[in-house]
Amino acid sequence: MYRLFFDLIFKRMDPEKAHHLAFAWIRAAARMPVLRTFVAAVLAPRHKELRTEALGLRMHGPFGLAAGFDKNAAAIDGMAMLGFDHVEIGTVTAQPQPGNPKKRLFRLVADRALVNRMGFNNDGSAAVAQRLAERKSVFRTTVGVNIGKTKIVPEAEAVADYVTSTERLAGHADYLVVNVSSPNTPGLRNLQATEALRPLLTAVREAADRTVTDRRVPLLVKIAPDLADEDVDAVADLAVELGLDGIIATNTTIARDGLGLKTPKRTVEAIGAGGLSGAPLKARSLEVLSRLYARVGDRITLVGVGGIETADDAWERILAGATLVQGYSAFIYEGPFWCRKIHNGLAEKLAASPYATLAEAVGAEHRKVTA
């Protein structure tokens, strides 16, 4: 049914306009008590066997919404209503910014992919912090806050910019993510180099601890799939050295070649620059995740994201070392029943496996190799 609706309506609309329309519908449904209860009962069935503990937090399951969909913390309950076990908002910057000029979001329908060069369009950390402070939670869900660098801030002043957002947002976050991997903010990916990343993560950790004194806010870093393998290893080693809580692997890719794209090359070239997400990212994202787990084991939490479309994909990430998995792009193509399919499929996968719990399944593929 949704597939037909997508083909007849959304596919013919500008992708960003379609996003805002769907976003408005989700928010509206979440405001209506009877409707939201009914929708959650249908779309967000709970499986006790999928309950997950990660980052010191308890969640209904391992499957969450990746950053980028709800940039301003405006639809957290709506996304929980649809079945996401955690919702990562953002990316949020210290200063409000409009993002890059439109048109900046594109669909590669044949590849079940997106290309975006949104440029961290958001209301700024002060406004988002106020919205989170005033939020009256309807559904219990874990809220992650993803922070990035304001575009006009020079790279040399990036640490202070991240610290400002941390001081404003850490108290409202179940976990905090330092995003240094978007391709759409000039110079941002330079911060993935360990000599730049070390002082940044250290400063954010200190700011979070200084701001929130009654608990420890878990801190993660989100990395790009385009890092060389030796750089992935370096980030993994740094995360362990600094006592980081987790790594999210991965963000979008700037690559176009070697992805097996079905969309004509001239169409892809006409779209131009931006981060590509969705199914074509699947193989590299899994590769980075597996490399990270081989390096860090269970010392820190790994979050698998990039090209996850089905329960099979999510299960594969769990076996490769992900305690949590996230998605976004496939939601555009799968529609509101997507979480339900993922949860039901994961429950079936776990029941058919030799593992008693999801926690036992995390990293199991690596243990097979070393056994």
Side-chain angles (χ1 to χ4, degrees):
M1 181 66 178
Y2 175 79
R3 203 70 61 89
L4 178 63
F5 182 83
F6 177 85
D7 289 338
L8 292 177
I9 307 295
F10 280 162
K11 189 176 175 180
R12 301 169 187 269
M13 293 179 65
D14 172 79
E16 191 167 349
K17 288 182 179 178
H19 171 87
H20 288 306
L21 179 61
F23 198 80
W25 287 345
I26 292 167
R27 291 182 65 191
R31 292 193 195 103
M32 302 177 188
V34 175
L35 179 59
R36 71 188 177 214
T37 301
F38 173 76
V39 172
V42 173
L43 301 182
R46 300 303 182 191
H47 298 269
K48 290 182 179 180
E49 64 271 29
L50 296 183
R51 288 177 182 170
T52 300
E53 289 195 19
L55 306 170
L57 305 166
R58 293 182 178 180
M59 307 181 200
H60 291 299
F63 187 57
L65 179 68
F69 190 90
D70 186 1
K71 296 176 181 295
N72 293 306
I76 293 170
D77 284 312
M79 304 318 293
M81 174 188 71
L82 295 182
F84 289 100
D85 300 312
H86 65 274
V87 176
E88 190 171 309
I89 64 144
T91 296
V92 183
T93 54
Q95 300 178 37
Q97 54 186 30
N100 292 323
K102 298 176 181 179
K103 189 175 180 180
R104 54 192 182 180
L105 181 62
F106 309 85
R107 301 187 198 96
L108 305 183
V109 177
D111 296 291
R112 295 173 64 82
L114 300 173
V115 173
N116 92 83
R117 50 174 176 268
M118 303 299 290
F120 289 169
N121 54 308
N122 75 103
D123 294 341
S125 56
V128 173
Q130 182 175 351
R131 191 168 294 128
L132 287 169
E134 294 172 352
R135 173 177 171 252
K136 292 178 174 60
S137 178
V138 174
F139 297 102
R140 186 178 70 82
T141 192
T142 297
V143 178
V145 178
N146 184 303
I147 59 173
K149 185 181 81 68
T150 306
K151 184 177 182 178
I152 63 171
V153 169
E155 194 176 322
E157 299 173 20
V159 170
D161 193 62
Y162 278 91
V163 165
T164 296
S165 291
T166 301
E167 290 172 342
R168 291 171 176 168
L169 292 164
H172 309 293
D174 290 317
Y175 69 86
L176 197 64
V177 182
V178 171
N179 185 351
V180 288
S181 51
S182 169
N184 300 316
T185 295
L188 186 73
R189 287 192 169 193
N190 296 338
L191 298 175
Q192 290 178 116
T194 54
E195 61 269 21
L197 193 56
R198 179 181 280 105
L200 172 59
L201 293 175
T202 299
V204 170
R205 176 74 272 165
E206 290 173 352
D209 291 342
R210 183 172 64 249
T211 305
V212 184
T213 58
D214 60 341
R215 62 185 175 94
R216 187 179 191 277
V217 180
L219 179 63
L220 299 84
V221 64
K222 187 169 186 175
I223 64 172
D226 307 310
L227 285 177
D229 287 346
E230 57 268 26
D231 293 325
V232 173
D233 293 343
V235 171
D237 293 344
L238 179 64
V240 173
E241 174 194 331
L242 297 180
L244 213 64
D245 297 278
I247 301 175
I248 300 180
T250 61
N251 211 318
T252 59
T253 181
I254 58 173
R256 299 295 185 267
D257 296 330
L259 298 177
L261 296 180
K262 299 173 185 175
T263 302
K265 187 174 182 179
R266 64 181 179 277
T267 302
V268 176
E269 290 175 348
I271 288 172
L276 187 147
S277 61
L281 188 55
K282 192 175 302 187
R284 178 55 182 167
S285 181
L286 176 61
E287 187 179 315
V288 172
L289 174 68
S290 295
R291 189 173 189 92
L292 286 169
Y293 189 84
R295 196 82 174 182
V296 305
D298 58 4
R299 288 178 289 178
I300 61 176
T301 298
L302 299 180
V303 183
V305 58
I308 294 176
E309 298 185 281
T310 66
D312 286 344
D313 296 330
W315 182 247
E316 187 176 35
R317 301 302 169 94
I318 290 168
L319 295 179
T323 300
L324 300 175
V325 290
Q326 293 180 340
Y328 169 8
S329 298
F331 181 48
I332 308 303
Y333 296 104
E334 290 291 327
F337 282 86
W338 186 39
C339 287
R340 179 187 174 94
K341 293 176 186 175
I342 295 285
H343 285 119
N344 290 343
L346 277 178
E348 291 172 4
K349 288 284 182 184
L350 180 61
S353 78
Y355 314 112
T357 65
L358 274 183
E360 285 185 20
V362 174
E365 285 299 319
H366 296 269
R367 293 191 289 276
K368 282 183 183 179
V369 173
T370 57

